[in-house]
Amino acid sequence: MSMIIRKPLGVVVGYLAWNFPLLNAGYKLGPALASGCTCILKPSSLTPLTTLYLGELSIEAGMPAGVINILAGDSQSVGKTLNESSIPQMITLIGSSETGKKVIRQSATSIKHYSLELGGNAPVIVMKDADVCDAARKVADGKISNGGQVCVAPNRIFVHKEIIRKFTDEIQGYLNAVKFGSGKENGNIIVPPLASQGAVENMEALVADAVEKGAEIKAGGKRKELPGYYFEPTLLTGVTSEMRVYKEEIFGPIIPIIEFTDEDNLQEMANDTEYGLAAYIYTNSLSDALNLSRKIDAGSVNVNEPCYQFNLPHGGCKQSGIGKDCSVFSLEEYFYIQRISIAL
């Protein structure tokens, strides 16, 4: 007789990104607790208070001591200590690809499991049969939401030559209606601030590089003179593969437009990046959507609708990481499989 059972890995270290501190904590605590593991959460030094308050709530809820542990502090010292320890059986991270590689190097002191959700450079393909107004609005929403500081934000926007003028006009009109601030306001699109002065300076450098190499600014292009780290939503046309906005994860409200024709190889264009986290397609052809989706190297491909749901797996391939957050596929990573065989 043979039995296959699942057993919790043990101690899990979870590193949280700053951009969605409460959501990211839930991504890690959910499967860790459901599997029977204990968890050490290390919040970003930029946003530790949300996670620390979550720790207070866990005490109030009666969570046994030692099940949820929250350790805030300098990433260089705290992270290095956790990574090099032989106690953690799993390290899970939401962060940049460079941070992911650093974690793997430091944690090679023992054999560990990994689930790493890292950087992205999401392609958006807008076919000539797409609903142009709908696609333009959703792309702009994706770049303005949280100031574009989202790992799955649209990054390289490929638009068919026959509709590119209408598409850019729609986005320009959309951007003309935005307001700057925090929170939500009825009837207005709110552009939030970026995380730091360094983030604003990086947006300026990305725009300057694109303009120097031939791109044209159709909207925005500079910081907003308001208290805080605001940068205007920026629409760039004439973008080419030599520009930094094409190669790098932008993590800000810059919308780079790249024109394509029927003769171009969409698969190669979409996959022309070291990342593979998310991708987006806008088309009214189901066959085109299915065929192209399967050829794109990305952990998720969303057709006509950005789709984020806790019951669907979230994670990437290539330099965007390994493993999944959300869904049963994430839960499986917190177990190991044990086989028990008995001769009766």
Side-chain angles (χ1 to χ4, degrees), residues 130-157:
D131 182 330
V132 178
C133 298
D134 180 69
R137 178 179 60 82
K138 287 173 180 172
V139 167
D141 274 343
K143 295 302 289 189
I144 290 174
S145 175
N146 211 41
Q149 300 165 122
V150 185
C151 57
V152 294
N155 214 67
R156 296 167 295 139
I157 321 300

Side-chain angles (χ1 to χ4, degrees), residues 126-332:
V126 186
M127 308 290 277
K128 62 183 176 182
D129 66 347
D131 182 330
V132 178
C133 298
D134 180 69
R137 178 179 60 82
K138 287 173 180 172
V139 167
D141 274 343
K143 295 302 289 189
I144 290 174
S145 175
N146 211 41
Q149 300 165 122
V150 185
C151 57
V152 294
N155 214 67
R156 296 167 295 139
I157 321 300
F158 300 100
V159 184
H160 194 280
K161 181 178 181 179
E162 291 186 14
I163 60 168
I164 194 166
R165 177 62 181 273
K166 183 178 180 182
F167 184 85
T168 54
D169 287 348
E170 287 290 333
I171 288 188
Q172 280 184 276
Y174 186 97
L175 298 184
N176 288 337
V178 302
K179 289 192 174 184
F180 295 83
S182 182
K184 295 185 177 181
E185 186 176 326
N186 289 335
N188 291 310
I189 304 148
I190 304 299
V191 181
L194 299 184
S196 65
Q197 176 66 22
V200 174
E201 292 171 355
N202 188 47
M203 295 303 106
E204 292 176 321
L206 288 171
V207 171
D209 173 80
V211 171
E212 181 183 344
K213 294 173 181 175
E216 182 179 351
I217 299 174
K218 292 290 187 181
K222 61 185 185 299
R223 69 176 65 201
K224 188 72 173 176
E225 298 302 330
L226 291 171
Y229 306 122
Y230 288 94
F231 193 82
E232 295 178 347
T234 300
L235 178 62
L236 296 175
T237 58
V239 172
T240 64
S241 59
E242 291 76 32
M243 300 173 187
R244 288 180 59 195
V245 291
Y246 184 97
K247 297 176 182 178
E248 301 176 18
E249 181 177 29
I250 294 172
F251 229 65
I254 298 175
I255 306 172
I257 305 294
I258 304 105
E259 181 181 298
F260 74 88
T261 67
D262 292 330
E263 287 72 40
D264 289 316
N265 189 324
L266 294 179
Q267 173 187 344
E268 289 186 3
M269 292 163 58
N271 292 335
D272 185 23
T273 176
E274 64 179 352
Y275 299 105
L277 189 57
Y280 304 91
I281 300 172
Y282 291 91
T283 179
N284 278 311
S285 168
L286 181 59
S287 61
D288 286 348
L290 291 173
N291 289 332
L292 186 55
S293 294
R294 290 176 175 271
K295 295 174 182 177
I296 293 177
D297 298 327
S300 64
V301 181
N302 302 286
V303 180
N304 294 335
E305 183 69 33
C307 188
Y308 318 109
Q309 292 181 329
F310 67 88
N311 59 322
L312 297 177
H314 170 64
C317 60
K318 299 195 289 190
Q319 297 304 299
S320 289
I322 53 177
K324 298 294 180 184
D325 285 321
C326 305
S327 81
V328 68
F329 297 101
S330 173
L331 180 61
E332 289 290 331

Side-chain angles (χ1 to χ4, degrees), residues 8-140:
L9 291 176
V11 177
V12 175
V13 169
Y15 294 110
L16 309 180
W18 54 263
N19 55 345
F20 294 102
L22 187 58
L23 178 70
N24 292 341
Y27 278 179
K28 304 308 177 186
L29 280 179
L33 299 181
S35 64
C37 294
T38 57
C39 190
I40 303 171
L41 293 181
K42 165 62 176 75
S44 166
S45 297
L46 291 175
T47 53
L49 299 183
T50 303
T51 312
L52 290 170
Y53 185 61
L54 185 64
E56 291 186 5
L57 293 176
S58 72
I59 295 172
E60 184 180 319
M63 187 67 65
V67 175
I68 298 176
N69 310 274
I70 299 170
L71 189 56
D74 177 66
S75 296
Q76 297 299 321
S77 56
V78 175
K80 186 173 185 292
T81 301
L82 292 173
N83 293 336
E84 292 180 348
S85 172
S86 60
I87 294 174
Q89 297 300 300
M90 178 178 180
I91 295 181
T92 179
L93 163 72
I94 299 174
S96 70
S97 299
E98 287 305 314
T99 301
K101 287 184 279 189
K102 183 178 180 180
V103 165
I104 292 174
R105 285 194 300 267
Q106 289 183 345
S107 62
T109 53
S110 62
I111 303 301
K112 299 177 174 75
H113 295 249
Y114 298 98
S115 179
L116 310 175
E117 194 262 67
L118 308 177
N121 188 4
V124 180
I125 297 174
V126 186
M127 308 290 277
K128 62 183 176 182
D129 66 347
D131 182 330
V132 178
C133 298
D134 180 69
R137 178 179 60 82
K138 287 173 180 172
V139 167

